[in-house]
Amino acid sequence: MNDLDGLKRTCYCGEVREEHVGSRVTLMGWVNRRRDLGDLIFIDLRDRTGLVQIVCDPVRSPHSFDAAKCLRSEYVVCVIGRVVERKPGTENPNIPTGNVEVLADTIKIFNCAKTPPFVVRDEAEPDESIRMKYRYIDLRRLPMMNNLKLRHEIVLAARNYLSANGFWEIETPAMTRSTPEGARDYLVPSRQEPGRFYSLAQSPQLFKQLLMISGVDKYFQICRCFRDEDLRADRQPEFTQIDIELSFTDEEQVYDLVEGMMKHIWKEVLGSDLCVPFPRLTWDEAMERYGSDKPDTRFGMEISDITDVIRDTEFSVFKNAIGAGGTVRAICVPGCAELSRQTLDRLTDKAKEIGAKGLISISYLPDKEIKSPVKKHLTQEEIIGIKQITGAEEGDLVLIVADEFDTAVGVLGRMRKEIAQHLGLIPEEAFDFVWVTEFPLLERNKEEGVWQAAHHPFTSPSTRDLKLLDDLDEQLKGKLRARAYDLVLNGVELASGSIRIHRRDIQEKVFELLDLSLEEAQEKFGFLLDAFEYGAPPHGGIAFGLDRFVMVVAGANTIRDVMAFPKTTSGSCLLTGAPSEVSPDQLKELGLRLIEDNTDHARARINQGKTDSPPEV
RNA sequence: GGAGGCGUGGUGUAGCCGGUCUAACAUACGUGCCUGUCACGCACGAGAUCGCGGGUUCAAAUCCCGUCGCCUCCGCCA
């Protein structure tokens, strides 16, 4: 009584409409809810498309009525019945199928279900850890189901677009060689060569460049990437890229291609027209105006440089900052002149938390009055000048940070976003794309003080900087620009790419800049350097973070909501229990031995019932 | 590695400046009643050693310490 018996579904629950009225349908799905009115039972039947109401009437069909009596939430059933229009006054405008209902003739139970750990209802979300443990139930909720669908549609549209534009989808190894640059690698021990390891690919970067050297010309891949770094709302240890590379290209061709792809996806998936080309900002401009390399351009409150206005000031905070080679920057917060002392203090604390020495406020009150803790240190001209440059009007609040450039704009950039969010100044429905171009080639690692590739070491220096490579001092290193670009959507870094180096001599010079000796370079990347000598075409590309992309389009706050089976912030999967211990035999086969470890942690976990076997250490 | 938040019946919350907590409310669950519900309604019922361990106290969900888990952020993420 629990297999299909030749039954065939005629349509999905959420698709039953007026046009089906009069016809018999066979539906299969889960019992979302049962409303037992005594001598009449309503069942909401659910599948991935939505809900439809089933009516079980003892007079019409005693058999199905009896069956309906024992149904419970999440039972899996087949319902055969006739679609009818609902009686006037009983329609439900809240669901798409609300004008019709199905009069059940037959109800067949495929499977019973235990009472679920949480109600499968769209609104109420239980704690995320419970959703993760029972992810298969969580995904039954239509918002989650719709996210999965959206993700599929975006991937499909991207794939179709790229294929139509001559790109071939080619797979590259997930298990590859560990390379020194970049994130921490996930390592896979080799059984056949004990003591050696594969690394899970952080991206297909090197392989796609080799494909260009092969003459593939246009490549793409929907590719899983692995990086062993700490998690965030928008970061998982395994994530998916839409990876694209093409030969004989420059920046403009990449921008064109990507804008076309976005336009296509918006049309196909959202049914709306996207305005292209996207605006562009150089990295310098982005930092100047937004204090971020991924500016949210959906709202104003841009950062102003007020250094010139107060250049001759006597106010020591400004004076000292400028004297030390720093700068004084400000943002104007509209309509917030009357913020309480307490709120301002909180903002100041926040600014200090993220690196500023302090936060100076000037309130331009409606009656031309000025309120500011530093009022007496500034001249009237300075106060007016600041008002003009920041575009502040009466009723507005100006927040000022005096510091090194990076700190000043960085702090204000973050304040800008947080305050705008708090004030509801961000139009949630908008999709504002912006290209950020001309990234620095190198950036200094704060901890070790060494220079690192800002994008990756295969990025071409900008053409005008090429001649500088031979004769560089430390100062110049930070000024070098790269042929690298990011696509930013609503303040989220969606995609990142560059025109690559395709000549051995230049690649070697860049390795040198990165303090990678020739021997090391040959040892780690020799295969690429060699390949450059066998006819490497100019090439470049871009890679999208698919999870973030879908997150933004779905309006989700975390990529976990657009991934079927994500991991927790500590990198574990609450559903499967990964990562798990493995048997001594497995370790032995790989030539591995665990070192003696403090097992308190493991023991505490066991006490919590989070693991099912004692550690094998 | 660091900072912060949270952890109370299945689920979501209240209680948290110690005693009246014999732990409240909603929902889910069970039984019964109900022919137009759609967050159905009504009645009754069952369900929690307050994450775990230790400490302070006459007394701990409540205070302290440790620990585990989840979340957010910094570092990290070519």
Side-chain angles (χ1 to χ4, degrees):
Chain A
M1 198 35 198
N2 56 10
D3 62 16
L4 223 48
D5 284 338
L7 289 169
K8 192 154 188 249
R9 177 168 54 198
T10 57
C11 71
Y12 282 113
C13 298
E15 292 170 347
V16 182
R17 288 292 186 283
E18 285 87 335
E19 71 213 51
H20 295 93
V21 166
S23 65
R24 267 171 74 83
V25 289
T26 303
L27 303 170
M28 304 196 181
W30 285 257
V31 173
N32 198 61
R33 194 181 292 275
R34 185 182 64 131
R35 288 179 296 280
D36 185 345
L37 273 58
D39 280 331
L40 186 66
I41 298 175
F42 295 100
I43 306 288
D44 288 339
L45 193 65
R46 184 195 67 239
D47 60 26
R48 70 182 199 182
T49 62
L51 300 171
V52 67
Q53 176 164 280
I54 312 293
V55 186
C56 304
D57 183 331
V59 179
R60 180 186 156 85
S61 169
H63 162 76
S64 71
F65 181 79
D66 288 343
K69 260 193 171 348
C70 28
L71 292 184
R72 294 293 181 271
S73 289
E74 302 311 308
Y75 277 28
V76 188
V77 298
C78 170
V79 174
I80 304 172
R82 200 156 58 79
V83 181
V84 297
E85 220 165 325
R86 291 208 195 177
K87 288 180 191 145
T90 67
E91 302 91 345
N92 182 357
N94 301 321
I95 55 173
T97 61
N99 288 330
V100 294
E101 58 194 5
V102 177
L103 305 181
D105 294 318
T106 307
I107 294 179
K108 179 180 159 70
I109 300 175
F110 290 126
N111 216 338
C112 300
K114 296 211 300 200
T115 301
F118 52 87
V119 195
V120 181
R121 196 192 291 176
D122 299 346
E123 314 85 61
E125 281 194 358
D127 187 83
E128 205 172 346
S129 52
I130 291 164
R131 294 174 55 203
M132 295 296 183
K133 182 167 179 190
Y134 299 96
R135 189 59 157 181
Y136 45 90
I137 298 175
D138 186 40
L139 293 176
R140 289 179 191 168
R141 295 166 46 238
L142 288 177
M144 293 303 287
M145 198 58 83
N146 287 335
N147 285 351
L148 295 181
K149 183 184 179 207
L150 176 70
R151 186 178 177 121
H152 161 74
E153 286 172 342
I154 287 175
V155 170
L156 182 67
R159 187 174 257 136
N160 286 341
Y161 174 87
L162 289 166
S163 176
N165 281 273
F167 286 78
W168 293 349
E169 186 168 8
I170 299 174
E171 289 155 287
T172 55
M175 290 201 300
T176 181
R177 182 197 168 103
S178 180
T179 52
E181 296 282 328
R184 197 176 293 116
D185 282 321
Y186 278 101
L187 295 178
V188 179
S190 163
R191 175 182 55 81
Q192 286 158 313
E193 297 192 55
R196 292 181 174 234
F197 296 84
Y198 303 96
S199 144
L200 296 182
Q202 294 182 25
S203 83
Q205 182 61 37
L206 293 170
F207 288 108
K208 68 175 178 177
Q209 290 192 241
L210 294 171
L211 286 172
M212 292 303 103
I213 296 170
S214 304
V216 162
D217 196 67
K218 289 174 178 163
Y219 141 96
F220 81 100
Q221 185 177 191
I222 317 291
C223 185
R224 191 61 64 84
C225 304
F226 305 87
R227 294 177 192 177
D228 186 5
E229 297 292 350
D230 286 347
L231 291 83
R232 287 283 193 285
D234 63 351
R235 257 163 42 191
Q236 286 268 312
E238 49 179 323
F239 63 99
T240 306
Q241 284 188 347
I242 303 177
D243 192 42
I244 299 172
E245 194 81 0
L246 61 160
S247 295
F248 309 109
T249 189
D250 56 17
E251 290 87 336
E252 293 302 326
Q253 292 183 50
V254 174
Y255 300 160
D256 269 358
L257 174 78
V258 167
E259 284 164 358
M261 184 166 111
M262 292 300 105
K263 201 173 169 60
H264 179 77
I265 291 172
W266 250 251
K267 189 79 193 166
E268 290 294 307
V269 177
L270 303 175
S272 63
D273 286 308
L274 200 58
C275 190
V276 294
F278 301 141
R280 297 179 196 178
L281 288 171
T282 64
W283 182 85
D284 286 324
E285 278 179 284
M287 296 308 291
E288 281 273 339
R289 290 168 55 188
Y290 300 97
S292 167
D293 60 0
K294 42 180 197 240
D296 191 335
T297 50
R298 287 176 296 175
F299 61 97
M301 277 175 65
E302 291 185 22
I303 300 171
S304 313
D305 184 356
I306 60 168
T307 314
D308 283 341
V309 182
I310 43 88
R311 190 165 293 284
D312 302 318
T313 189
E314 292 302 315
F315 180 36
S316 61
V317 170
F318 291 168
K319 205 172 164 180
N320 294 344
I322 298 172
T327 183
V328 185
R329 306 279 159 150
I331 54 173
C332 169
V333 186
C336 286
E338 319 248 13
L339 279 190
S340 71
R341 180 68 211 223
Q342 200 187 4
T343 310
L344 286 171
D345 284 347
R346 260 215 319 278
L347 287 174
T348 307
D349 289 344
K350 186 84 205 171
K352 283 182 179 163
E353 214 172 280
I354 54 186
K357 293 185 192 75
L359 185 71
I360 292 160
S361 64
I362 303 178
S363 292
Y364 294 92
L365 294 165
D367 47 5
K368 291 206 189 296
E369 209 189 312
I370 307 297
K371 200 175 71 186
S372 171
V374 300
K375 190 176 169 184
K376 58 176 176 290
H377 300 294
L378 295 173
T379 66
Q380 193 63 22
E381 292 74 54
E382 285 164 347
I383 288 175
I384 301 285
I386 291 169
K387 184 170 180 233
Q388 276 170 352
I389 292 217
T390 57
E393 300 189 0
E394 290 176 359
D396 293 350
L397 170 75
V398 169
L399 299 175
I400 304 169
V401 176
D403 214 307
E404 289 173 22
F405 176 83
D406 291 356
T407 308
V409 298
V411 168
L412 286 174
R414 286 193 47 183
M415 305 292 288
R416 169 182 177 267
K417 240 188 133 159
E418 270 181 42
I419 293 170
Q421 202 150 29
H422 195 76
L423 295 177
L425 297 179
I426 305 178
E428 299 290 339
E429 303 303 309
F431 290 116
D432 275 16
F433 284 93
V434 59
W435 287 107
V436 178
T437 65
E438 295 177 50
F439 271 71
L441 183 70
L442 305 171
E443 62 191 8
R444 201 193 274 278
N445 180 308
K446 282 181 212 98
E447 270 172 24
E448 300 158 42
V450 298
W451 290 98
Q452 295 182 335
H455 183 55
H456 58 53
F458 319 108
T459 300
S460 179
S462 79
T463 316
R464 65 166 184 273
D465 288 346
L466 270 180
K467 55 184 179 299
L468 300 175
L469 293 183
D470 291 315
D471 179 29
L472 274 174
D473 58 36
E474 284 295 299
Q475 265 225 311
L476 258 168
K477 278 190 173 182
K479 294 220 158 62
L480 290 175
R481 287 297 174 261
R483 299 181 69 181
Y485 35 80
D486 276 6
L487 181 62
V488 175
L489 170 57
N490 295 358
V492 175
E493 181 194 318
L494 265 204
S496 193
S498 65
I499 303 302
R500 326 295 182 191
I501 296 165
H502 65 282
R503 276 171 38 191
R504 180 170 186 137
D505 57 337
I506 295 175
Q507 185 67 71
E508 282 180 349
K509 274 183 200 164
V510 169
F511 281 151
E512 213 181 306
L513 287 180
L514 299 170
D515 289 322
L516 201 63
S517 71
L518 270 183
E519 296 77 51
E520 269 181 289
Q522 185 62 39
E523 147 81 16
K524 312 284 189 192
F525 299 110
F527 63 97
L528 180 72
L529 293 171
D530 291 347
F532 282 156
E533 296 190 300
Y534 287 99
H539 61 283
I542 193 162
F544 281 79
L546 176 66
D547 310 280
R548 288 182 188 174
F549 190 173
V550 181
M551 173 184 81
V552 176
V553 178
N557 292 318
T558 158
I559 61 173
R560 293 189 298 276
D561 280 350
V562 298
M563 303 176 80
F565 299 105
K567 293 180 175 60
T568 68
T569 37
S570 57
S572 62
C573 171
L574 296 180
L575 175 55
T576 62
S580 66
E581 283 128 17
V582 296
S583 72
D585 284 350
Q586 282 175 289
L587 289 177
K588 197 176 170 196
E589 195 165 41
L590 295 166
L592 297 178
R593 194 168 58 232
L594 297 178
I595 55 172
E596 205 64 38
D597 199 1
N598 186 342
T599 52
D600 284 356
H601 186 256
R603 220 170 267 133
R605 281 172 59 90
I606 292 162
N607 289 340
Q608 268 224 307
K610 293 289 180 194
T611 184
D612 22 56
S613 59
E616 311 278 352
V617 189

